[in-house]
Amino acid sequence: MDNQNEIKKEVEHILDNSHVGTMATVKNNKPHSRYMTFHNEGLKLYTPTNEDTDKTEEIEENPYTHIILGYEGEGFGDSFVEYEGKVRFNDSEEVKKALWNAHMKLYFDGPDDPNLVVLEVEPVAVRLMNKKGQPPKELEM
């Protein structure tokens, strides 16, 4: 599976079907990871957050992130995606409405809550990992 189209198809399949993953930012020059929910359009990721959080400050200082998505916990051989990206804040009402779901009511009044901000992540490097014991496959950007 060294064909870039096949790698991209597999990566997009994982992104389409995996919505919870870890997102690392840099805090005081050290990595800081947390679980986030992700939605994708192709290879671009979106995740909602409260603008008044450590991660928004961390991203303002350093916009790069490392995300892991796709591991289902079934054991060795599960493929997953290692995703390096550059984050920007997306304040579009359209995007907020598109991402809105009932689970978010725990944190926000609605898609127009002024504390809701969307982190838009543009891929910098994407690797398909652990495909049945094969070496990682790099997706060319």
Side-chain angles (χ1 to χ4, degrees):
M1 181 163 97
D2 291 305
N3 176 322
Q4 283 293 306
N5 279 341
E6 286 180 36
I7 295 169
K8 185 175 185 203
K9 205 183 290 183
E10 177 76 16
V11 165
E12 285 182 341
H13 175 78
I14 291 170
L15 298 182
D16 288 344
N17 291 287
S18 303
H19 301 290
V20 176
T22 59
M23 178 179 192
T25 52
V26 177
K27 181 179 189 170
N28 301 325
N29 251 356
K30 296 185 177 90
H32 180 210
S33 299
R34 80 278 290 153
Y35 283 104
M36 299 287 288
T37 57
F38 295 94
H39 303 275
N40 71 304
E41 272 178 33
L43 295 174
K44 189 179 283 191
L45 295 175
Y46 297 88
T47 183
T49 191
N50 190 311
E51 74 172 355
D52 190 28
T53 58
D54 285 352
K55 86 183 79 60
T56 56
E57 274 178 48
E58 292 159 15
I59 288 163
E60 280 168 1
E61 286 178 29
N62 181 338
Y64 292 95
T65 184
H66 186 267
I67 295 165
I68 296 178
L69 274 166
Y71 181 71
E72 300 298 330
E74 296 297 313
F76 295 107
D78 283 4
S79 49
F80 62 95
V81 171
E82 266 193 17
Y83 186 108
E84 285 177 50
K86 187 171 184 182
V87 184
R88 75 178 193 88
F89 297 99
N90 185 325
D91 222 15
S92 148
E93 296 305 314
E94 224 173 274
V95 171
K96 290 178 183 183
K97 284 187 173 102
L99 293 182
W100 183 258
N101 65 58
H103 300 294
M104 292 166 67
K105 286 181 188 161
L106 293 168
Y107 309 100
F108 304 103
D109 296 334
D112 50 4
D113 186 320
N115 292 317
L116 172 60
V117 67
V118 174
L119 306 179
E120 180 180 309
V121 192
E122 195 68 53
V124 173
V126 177
R127 291 193 306 179
L128 180 61
M129 304 294 292
N130 204 29
K131 183 74 181 160
K132 303 288 182 253
Q134 294 176 22
K137 306 284 187 199
E138 190 84 32
L139 182 60
E140 291 163 12
M141 291 292 119

